[in-house]
Amino acid sequence: MDEALLRRLTPGVLAALVRRGADFAAAEDAVQDALLEALRVWPADPPRDAKGWLIAVAWRRFLDAVRADAARRRREDLREEEPAPGPAPAADDTLQLYFLCAHPALSPSSAVALTLRAVGGLTTRQIAQAYLVPEATMAQRISRAKRTVSQVRLDRPGDVATVLRVLYLVFNEGYHGDVDLAAEAIRLTRQLAAAVDHPEVAGLLALMLLHHARRAARTASDGSLVPLAEQDRGRWDTELIAEGVAILQAALARDRLGEFQAQAAVAALHADAPTAGETDWVQIVEWYDELTRLTDNPVVRLNRAVAVGEADGPRAGLAALAELDPALPRHTAVAAYLHERDGDLATAARLYAEAAHKAPNLAERDHLTRQAARLNTTRRRP
């Protein structure tokens, strides 16, 4: 049984049912019934047209559910609209599902969960494990999301920016359990890039590939974080870097700069440097200036302060940091790093310890705690 094939076909089957008039929640249930039937039937009797078979079975399951629901008897007329038997259309409907799952009526977390369920083909259990929440909690979240989008028509114009934001959130979740969300986000973004010609889609894919290329070097054997400057660059995936750079260059050549292209350009400059000391920080600052112009995002300004500290010295970085809200996430950690670069170890150690208490995850907290301990040890030496 080719489960990978079922996973690839599921979004198109679901979109076909919604396009025929099924509401999203009912269509998703019918598709799941069809997938179970495929698991039962196909090993002994594989169909010639797998997608067409799934659409036909799912549509019958949907019609059966409609007939069983007295409150929906008006939908009996849908049976008259059933197309004649024949090969399934070759068009890929997956793109429509991206836009539906990223509907602005949904919260970001619900949009991510629904995208992973409907487009990614992951089970509720897998998504729950990835988010470290109980399966029942994730099932409720997905059910609420499906109810929200059930009345949304697929022919509404899609918002590419919203879809990209959802995929970016999926990527940033990282990986837990048996689902690698970073790899899953790359897979989904590749699908989107194949379906829509948009430089920001290419920019996001390039950004993901360039970041993912450093994955093996990000943690030590004991699971602790390894800062970018200390990573073993020989462990970076050069094939992913080459692919990401090529995709980025093609996108930038279209002269329609967006925030994901600019972020990818920063990542490419890091990837291009043979050593941390050879990083072109001046050019990175210029790209952060572009990002600030595009987004005016305080997190971008925070990252720019780090780059300024590397390009023009820690005092310049601290001056840039002073213009930002101290409540900004990771502001204290950046201040600690810049004070250390400036030689003020006492202040840096205190700020590292303070940042550890604010860390968003255990790995980052442990890293910052070790930084504080390292500086305190250094200061006590005669």
Side-chain angles (χ1 to χ4, degrees):
M1 189 64 201
D2 189 350
E3 294 187 13
L5 173 63
L6 287 179
R7 188 173 170 182
R8 289 197 304 272
L9 293 176
T10 296
V13 176
L14 179 56
L17 265 65
V18 174
R19 191 175 59 252
R20 291 183 185 182
D23 68 76
F24 189 93
E28 210 267 346
D29 289 340
V31 171
Q32 293 306 311
D33 288 342
L35 292 173
L36 291 174
E37 185 69 4
L39 290 171
R40 186 182 69 83
V41 172
W42 285 13
D45 184 20
R48 288 191 297 272
D49 179 4
K51 183 178 180 182
W53 188 97
L54 287 170
I55 291 174
V57 172
W59 186 248
R60 285 198 296 269
R61 292 290 191 273
F62 168 71
L63 292 178
D64 289 343
V66 169
R67 284 195 297 269
D69 188 348
R72 293 177 174 174
R73 290 193 179 280
R74 61 185 179 82
R75 299 210 180 193
E76 288 284 349
D77 294 338
L78 292 173
R79 185 171 181 82
E80 302 300 323
E81 301 175 12
E82 184 171 2
D92 185 359
D93 298 311
T94 304
L95 182 59
Q96 292 176 305
L97 285 183
Y98 278 107
F99 294 129
L100 184 63
C101 293
H103 192 270
L106 296 175
S107 67
S109 61
S110 294
V112 168
L114 191 59
T115 300
L116 290 170
R117 185 74 178 88
V119 187
L122 302 185
T123 66
T124 303
R125 179 186 61 81
Q126 289 174 319
I127 302 171
Q129 284 185 340
Y131 276 85
L132 301 179
V133 299
E135 185 174 350
T137 300
M138 184 55 66
Q140 291 175 353
R141 184 181 300 175
I142 293 173
S143 294
R144 286 195 298 268
K146 288 194 290 187
R147 286 196 299 271
T148 299
V149 302
S150 286
Q151 304 306 315
V152 178
R153 295 182 59 84
L154 274 176
D155 58 0
R156 287 181 55 179
D159 181 5
V160 174
T162 302
V163 175
L164 294 180
R165 186 62 53 194
V166 168
L167 291 172
Y168 189 53
L169 288 172
V170 175
F171 183 80
N172 284 338
E173 283 298 324
Y175 49 95
H176 305 284
D178 61 358
V179 179
D180 184 338
L181 287 185
E184 184 63 20
I186 290 173
R187 186 183 75 84
L188 294 174
T189 307
R190 285 191 190 278
Q191 281 188 4
L192 185 62
V196 60
D197 182 22
H198 193 293
E200 273 294 82
V201 177
L204 178 58
L205 179 57
L207 175 64
M208 290 178 176
L209 294 174
L210 290 164
H211 278 312
H212 207 55
R214 303 200 298 261
R215 173 172 169 171
R218 283 201 184 104
T219 54
S221 57
D222 61 358
S224 60
L225 290 179
V226 180
L228 176 61
E230 300 172 18
Q231 288 177 14
D232 178 1
R233 299 185 178 219
R235 300 182 65 194
W236 290 1
D237 189 325
T238 55
E239 289 187 7
L240 282 185
I241 291 173
E243 182 185 4
V245 169
I247 292 172
L248 173 62
Q249 289 175 339
L252 291 175
R254 301 177 64 176
D255 199 24
R256 290 169 55 193
L257 183 64
E259 62 173 301
F260 290 119
Q261 295 170 72
Q263 286 189 56
V266 172
L269 286 167
H270 283 298
D272 185 56
T275 66
E278 297 173 85
T279 304
D280 189 344
W281 286 107
V282 172
Q283 194 172 167
I284 288 176
V285 171
E286 292 174 356
W287 277 112
Y288 275 126
D289 288 341
E290 288 288 345
L291 266 171
T292 301
R293 181 182 61 80
L294 289 167
T295 69
D296 198 27
N297 187 314
V299 175
V300 170
R301 291 182 178 273
L302 183 68
N303 291 332
R304 180 185 179 277
V306 176
V308 168
E310 298 289 354
D312 300 328
R315 297 285 176 90
L318 287 168
L321 188 65
E323 300 175 2
L324 304 177
D325 184 354
L328 194 64
R330 296 187 173 88
H331 184 285
T332 307
V334 170
Y337 173 74
L338 291 172
H339 276 291
E340 180 183 358
R341 288 279 320 282
D342 195 38
D344 187 352
L345 302 190
T347 300
R350 176 179 58 78
L351 289 173
Y352 274 131
E354 183 181 331
H357 289 293
K358 303 176 182 178
N361 56 65
L362 181 60
E364 193 167 330
R365 186 188 72 188
D366 288 347
H367 170 72
L368 292 168
T369 300
R370 282 193 295 271
Q371 295 294 85
R374 173 180 58 80
L375 292 185
N376 284 326
T377 301
T378 300
R379 291 170 55 225
R380 285 194 294 267
R381 287 174 183 164

